Amino acid sequence: PTLLDGAVDEILRWTSVAVVMARTAMKDTEIRGQKIRKGETVAMFFPAANRDPDTFPDPYRFDITRSPNRHIAFGGNGEHRCIGAALAKTELRAMFRALLPVLPALELHGDSKMLVLRLLISEFVQLPVRRKEGLA
Ligand code: HEM
């Protein structure tokens, strides 16, 4: 439970449930050598940015003690940053706080099913679990 804050951020980085958003360039610009002309659409893939090795050492390691963890699961720090970020994190902390006592007694049971909605949001629609045998 004491690691919950870091765990929630790492879960958000790892899952990056918002997959992609787009922006329209308002003026000619250049990002890392890539020229972008005014009016062009630029897609931002959050899962890719959240595995950027320049920002996250060993990015494919799930590490709830990762610090700093400057993930952009809620967007960057611009005008469109998710307005519900604080609420979402509070909900996630509450959910995992409630789940933690029972988690050790559960195991995956059957196939999970993940759905990516129009490339925008990914979510589990099925994650079957059962109580481990021999545990009260
Ligand atoms: C884990 C849960 C959530 C994730 C990962 C998430 C992620 C995001 C992302 C990536 C954006 C786009 C940022 C951008 O375009 O730069 C966004 C925008 C937004 N989110 Fe969330 N969100 C979550 C929960 C919520 C909740 C609970 C609410 C409302 C209570 C909410 C309301 C909004 C709104 C209104 C915007 C549009 C902000 C704007 O364009 O000005 N989100 N969110």
Side-chain angles (χ1 to χ4, degrees), residues 43-64:
M44 310 176 295
F45 285 85
F46 299 109
N50 279 336
R51 282 159 180 71
D52 181 351
D54 289 348
T55 303
F56 304 100
D58 201 359
Y60 285 90
R61 185 166 42 90
F62 179 78
D63 178 4
I64 63 174

Side-chain angles (χ1 to χ4, degrees), residues 91-113:
E91 288 177 332
L92 284 165
R93 277 194 295 269
M95 185 186 82
F96 281 104
R97 201 170 292 122
L99 267 179
L100 273 179
V102 294
L103 271 184
L106 298 179
E107 64 184 4
L108 292 173
H109 179 56
D111 292 334
S112 58
K113 202 161 134 197

Side-chain angles (χ1 to χ4, degrees), residues 96-136:
F96 281 104
R97 201 170 292 122
L99 267 179
L100 273 179
V102 294
L103 271 184
L106 298 179
E107 64 184 4
L108 292 173
H109 179 56
D111 292 334
S112 58
K113 202 161 134 197
M114 193 121 199
L115 189 69
V116 179
L117 293 171
R118 290 184 293 277
L119 255 189
L120 190 62
I121 300 285
S122 62
E123 62 183 45
F124 277 114
V125 285
Q126 183 178 301
L127 185 66
V129 294
R130 70 176 175 192
R131 183 175 282 275
K132 284 181 190 163
E133 279 179 30
L135 286 174

Side-chain angles (χ1 to χ4, degrees), residues 18-46:
V19 181
V20 66
M21 295 266 167
R23 293 284 192 270
T24 306
M26 303 303 284
K27 57 180 185 185
D28 292 348
T29 187
E30 191 175 316
I31 300 176
R32 291 198 176 179
Q34 174 67 52
K35 286 193 181 0
I36 299 163
R37 284 196 305 270
K38 181 179 173 181
E40 282 184 337
T41 302
V42 178
M44 310 176 295
F45 285 85
F46 299 109

Side-chain angles (χ1 to χ4, degrees), residues 5-23:
D5 284 2
V8 161
D9 275 312
E10 183 66 345
I11 289 166
L12 285 161
R13 180 188 79 88
W14 189 260
T15 54
S16 291
V17 290
V19 181
V20 66
M21 295 266 167
R23 293 284 192 270

